[in-house]
Amino acid sequence: MSFSHVLSLGATKDMGKMLGGDEEKDPDAAKKEEERQEALRQEEEERKAKYAKMEAEREVMRQGIRDKYGIKKKEEREAEAQAALEANAEGSLTRPKKAIPPGCGEEEEEEEESILDTVIKYLPGPLQDMFKK
């Protein structure tokens, strides 16, 4: 059978559709599409409800663990820290002081003295006496 012979056997109607030709109009197409869209919306709502319920159950479990071990939520800790800062700054006209990070301040001077002592220890005797005075 040749290709042209196959086309003449009724494949032309399907080929025309594939090439973007006129499709047959289904009289109930609009109704079916509306029903399909409604079914999709309903499935989406059911899915969201299912996941909301699962998340609520998880949150109840998380809260039970927090209560058991005395753990606070991140938001609660941040709110308490902010409230503490505001309470400390109440009545102050200046901005709150920044905390001095560990390793800053007095400790540096002690470290410099120990370095100086270490260097003096390796100097000859008369030079050690000069630096110790």
Side-chain angles (χ1 to χ4, degrees), residues 87-114:
N88 289 341
E90 194 171 307
S92 174
L93 298 177
T94 59
R95 64 181 172 85
K97 294 180 180 179
K98 293 182 179 177
I100 298 175
C104 296
E106 297 294 325
E107 295 176 15
E108 287 182 20
E109 293 174 14
E110 294 173 11
E111 189 174 317
E112 288 176 11
E113 290 175 14
S114 66

Side-chain angles (χ1 to χ4, degrees), residues 6-131:
V6 170
L7 288 178
S8 65
L9 293 176
T12 55
K13 184 190 285 186
D14 294 334
M15 291 292 288
K17 287 182 186 177
M18 288 164 56
L19 295 174
D22 292 333
E23 294 184 20
E24 294 179 22
K25 301 292 181 187
D26 186 6
D28 296 331
K31 184 178 177 184
K32 287 180 182 177
E33 180 64 22
E34 183 64 33
E35 288 174 359
R36 188 180 73 80
Q37 291 293 331
E38 182 60 33
L40 287 174
R41 277 191 290 271
Q42 186 175 356
E43 287 175 7
E44 182 70 15
E45 289 173 9
E46 289 171 2
R47 186 187 67 79
K48 285 182 181 180
K50 173 185 168 188
Y51 284 103
K53 179 182 174 189
M54 289 170 54
E55 185 60 29
E57 290 171 356
R58 288 187 193 111
E59 187 56 36
V60 167
M61 187 180 297
R62 289 182 196 118
Q63 190 59 47
I65 292 169
R66 282 189 212 106
D67 293 343
K68 180 178 179 181
Y69 295 105
I71 300 170
K72 294 181 181 176
K73 280 186 170 180
K74 185 176 181 180
E75 297 88 25
E76 291 175 1
R77 287 188 306 230
E78 290 172 353
E80 287 180 2
Q82 187 65 30
L85 277 176
E86 290 173 1
N88 289 341
E90 194 171 307
S92 174
L93 298 177
T94 59
R95 64 181 172 85
K97 294 180 180 179
K98 293 182 179 177
I100 298 175
C104 296
E106 297 294 325
E107 295 176 15
E108 287 182 20
E109 293 174 14
E110 294 173 11
E111 189 174 317
E112 288 176 11
E113 290 175 14
S114 66
I115 292 172
L116 185 61
D117 291 339
T118 305
V119 170
I120 290 174
K121 186 167 55 174
Y122 290 103
L123 292 175
L127 289 175
Q128 283 182 7
D129 294 336
M130 275 180 33
F131 280 108

